[in-house]
């Protein structure tokens, strides 16, 4: 049982770190880089990224993090000798789920709306692409900043739980 607790905690920490790092990279590099680009480049790039990210490796980390946090929380809750890790693990699960809720309620609908706006090459009026960008960019960035903060807190809590383990 000790091995299962250790392995799930390590795996939860790794997957949470991968997701936190992904959101962080968008916050500090991808979106600021796109902010310096044309409307067409920004819209087309984000449409391509939104399609490319839906792959098994992303899903493994994105869905794996909350599942592994839950598993390690259950494994630690059932052993009286490891109960001191319950609070940081429960808090890590809460912050992880909060980031997922933001993704589902803000980022994904914005991604879908950007896709529905059509490819920039199809727009005969450049204001269509500009409107698609301005409707998307600021709210998406704000939500992503919150996801970054929440998943970084998740990672910190899991790291703390590792020190207690």
């Amino acid at each position: 049982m000790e091995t299962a607790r250790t392995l799930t905690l390590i795996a939860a920490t790794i997957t949470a770190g991968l997701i936190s790092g992904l959101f962080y990279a968008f916050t500090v590099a991808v979106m600021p880089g796109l902010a310096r680009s044309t409307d067409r480049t920004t819209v087309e790039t984000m449409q391509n990224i939104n399609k490319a990210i839906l792959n098994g490796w992303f899903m493994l980390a994105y869905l794996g993090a909350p599942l592994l946090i839950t598993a390690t929380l259950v494994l630690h809750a059932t052993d009286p000798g490891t109960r001191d890790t319950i609070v940081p693990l429960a808090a890590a699960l809460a912050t992880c789920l909060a980031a997922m809720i933001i993704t589902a309620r803000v980022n994904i609908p914005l991604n879908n709306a950007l896709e529905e706006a059509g490819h920039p090459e199809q727009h005969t009026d450049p204001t269509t692409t500009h409107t698609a960008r301005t409707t998307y960019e600021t709210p998406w960035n704000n939500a992503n900043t919150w996801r970054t903060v929440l998943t970084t807190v998740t990672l910190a809590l899991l790291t703390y739980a590792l020190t207690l383990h």
Side-chain angles (χ1 to χ4, degrees):
M1 194 59 104
E2 176 65 22
T3 301
R5 278 193 299 275
T6 301
L7 291 177
T8 57
L9 181 53
I10 290 170
T13 305
I14 290 169
T15 55
L18 290 169
I19 294 304
S20 177
L22 174 69
F23 293 157
Y24 178 75
F26 269 88
T27 298
V28 302
V30 175
M31 298 311 286
L34 287 176
R36 296 182 172 119
S37 301
T38 65
D39 293 339
R40 178 182 170 163
T41 298
T42 299
V43 169
E44 183 177 7
T45 300
M46 285 309 299
Q47 286 174 336
N48 289 332
I49 288 171
N50 291 336
K51 290 174 191 153
I53 201 164
L54 297 177
N55 65 70
W57 291 111
F58 169 74
M59 297 309 266
L60 181 65
Y62 185 73
L63 297 176
L67 293 174
L68 289 162
I69 295 167
T70 301
T72 195
L73 178 57
V74 169
L75 289 170
H76 282 82
T78 58
D79 182 350
T82 61
R83 299 257 169 126
D84 54 341
T85 59
I86 292 173
V87 171
L89 290 173
L93 182 58
T95 56
C96 181
L97 292 175
M100 292 181 86
I101 290 167
I102 290 170
T103 300
R105 294 178 73 79
V106 181
N107 296 92
I108 291 173
L110 287 168
N111 291 346
N112 292 341
L114 190 66
E115 184 62 29
E116 290 170 11
H119 193 279
E121 285 181 358
Q122 299 170 332
H123 301 159
T124 54
D125 181 1
T127 60
T128 304
T129 303
H130 179 72
T131 300
R133 177 188 185 160
T134 56
T135 303
Y136 178 85
E137 196 169 29
T138 298
W140 195 96
N141 286 339
N142 290 339
N144 191 64
T145 298
W146 278 108
R147 296 188 308 175
T148 303
V149 169
L150 287 165
T151 56
T152 301
V153 170
T154 301
L155 179 59
L157 289 163
L158 290 170
T159 303
Y160 177 64
L162 279 169
T163 68
L164 297 174
H165 186 76

